[in-house]
Amino acid sequence: MELILVRHALPVRRENSVGPADPELSDDGVAQALLFAKYMESEHIDALYSSPLQRAQQTAAPLAQLKEMLPVIVDGVAEFDQHSNEYIPVEELKAANDPRWAEMINGTWTSPEEAQEFTDRVIDALESIIKDNRGGRVVVTCHGGVINEFLAHVLGLENRQFFYPNYTSLHRIAASSNGHRSVLSINETAHLRN
């Protein structure tokens, strides 16, 4: 089967005093989600899954409408910062030389969820999706941390957060029923060039 992991489109910056940030897509993010849907329109898709976070669900929505599919919400593919009261796009952190950017790069950024718990949750959720869709092509709209975790798992990398997935990028994995996993593509973004 083919598993297509898609990072959500660009969300708005959100900083709450209390409660999870869970931002919606920005205007640019809405445009990215539409370009993603149009790009995938010609591909056969057997199932569509999404993280429960707004930015992932809104990224899946145009494709769901085009394909007349209802996305299945999977809690296991939510990002490690899902309960954080702030969401600041990585580009803003990087441009401001924010200390949180350095923490992301050197792997010291902490989260309420333990690193191993996050790893286990993501791998379990995606392996379950693979098991339930033998021989199919499945799209999962999720998050950069989730994509890093699963690709690191497939590639056997110790560093779990090893690259930056662009907003609305596609990452394709071939998954056989005997457990073999191989990466077909990373960071596809041709659909965003216009």
Side-chain angles (χ1 to χ4, degrees):
M1 69 90 67
E2 184 177 356
L3 176 68
I4 304 171
L5 302 179
V6 181
R7 186 179 181 204
H8 60 79
L10 178 67
V12 297
R13 179 179 180 137
R14 171 81 34 83
E15 296 168 278
N16 294 342
S17 53
V18 293
D22 194 16
E24 69 276 6
L25 295 183
S26 65
D27 290 343
D28 285 345
V30 170
Q32 290 170 345
L34 290 169
L35 289 169
F36 155 65
K38 192 70 176 161
Y39 181 71
M40 296 298 294
E41 185 176 22
S42 65
E43 292 196 37
H44 175 78
I45 297 169
D46 295 293
L48 177 60
Y49 293 83
S50 177
S51 155
L53 300 179
Q54 280 193 95
R55 56 195 185 264
Q57 290 190 56
Q58 290 175 353
T59 300
L63 180 61
Q65 185 175 3
L66 274 176
K67 295 289 191 178
E68 298 180 352
M69 302 176 91
L70 186 63
V72 177
I73 305 303
V74 178
D75 292 339
V77 296
E79 187 65 295
F80 58 82
D81 67 351
Q82 65 181 313
H83 301 297
S84 175
N85 65 342
E86 64 181 15
Y87 182 93
I88 303 169
V90 172
E91 291 78 7
E92 289 185 34
L93 293 175
K94 184 178 179 182
N97 204 20
D98 190 291
R100 291 169 288 192
W101 167 250
E103 290 173 359
M104 289 175 76
I105 294 301
N106 65 30
T108 59
W109 186 346
T110 58
S111 162
E113 185 173 22
E114 293 293 325
Q116 191 59 53
E117 290 174 2
F118 177 63
T119 297
D120 293 344
R121 169 170 65 82
V122 166
I123 293 170
D124 289 349
L126 291 172
E127 288 294 340
S128 179
I129 289 171
I130 290 168
K131 182 180 175 188
D132 291 345
N133 292 279
R134 290 174 188 249
R137 179 180 287 136
V138 174
V139 172
V140 181
T141 55
C142 55
H143 309 271
V146 171
I147 292 164
N148 265 281
E149 283 293 333
F150 198 69
L151 291 180
H153 167 69
V154 170
L155 295 169
L157 301 178
E158 193 171 310
N159 182 358
R160 309 308 288 186
Q161 299 296 311
F162 68 101
F163 82 108
Y164 177 73
N166 291 311
Y167 288 111
T168 332
S169 57
L170 281 69
H171 313 265
R172 297 176 190 257
I173 297 103
S176 69
S177 57
N178 68 4
H180 182 74
R181 310 286 180 257
S182 58
V183 175
L184 302 175
S185 72
I186 295 178
N187 246 349
E188 284 182 44
T189 56
H191 53 288
L192 301 176
R193 289 190 183 143
N194 290 329

